[in-house]
Amino acid sequence: MNTKAVYAACLFAALNICTLSARAESDVSAKPYTYGTHLDIQKVVSLKQDASPSCGVVDAQLTYLDSKSKTQVLDYRKISDTCSSDN
């Protein structure tokens, strides 16, 4: 097997893995955070927030794996990252 074929096989495998994880995330419905929500977080997969050019409260989403390695999605509100210098 030549190196181009090996590189192509590796790239194809990596793309399949990324596609599978994206499909798995899309099947999970987001749950809204409420005070007292029990969080069983084993590993954080992604953190997303609405883009905001100014300091303020924005919608955010946490995607994580729980202790059973099941993907969970949590919607919550937070102070925008643009506020970090506005103590």
Side-chain angles (χ1 to χ4, degrees):
M1 216 175 186
N2 64 22
T3 56
K4 286 184 181 179
V6 171
Y7 290 143
C10 290
L11 178 62
F12 182 71
L15 289 174
N16 278 334
I17 291 170
C18 293
T19 303
L20 286 175
S21 66
R23 274 190 249 139
E25 285 181 24
S26 66
D27 294 341
V28 177
S29 62
K31 297 175 184 141
Y33 175 80
T34 57
Y35 183 77
T37 299
H38 173 71
L39 299 177
D40 178 19
I41 300 173
Q42 180 180 11
K43 180 181 179 182
V44 174
V45 176
S46 69
L47 293 168
K48 299 176 188 173
Q49 74 174 22
D50 291 346
S52 175
S54 60
C55 181
V57 178
V58 295
D59 292 323
Q61 190 173 70
L62 167 69
T63 304
Y64 64 94
L65 298 177
D66 63 14
S67 60
K68 296 176 184 168
S69 296
K70 184 178 174 191
T71 303
Q72 303 289 337
V73 179
L74 184 73
D75 288 334
Y76 63 101
R77 310 246 319 142
K78 67 174 268 206
I79 299 292
S80 172
D81 289 340
T82 57
C83 299
S84 62
S85 62
D86 296 340
N87 292 339

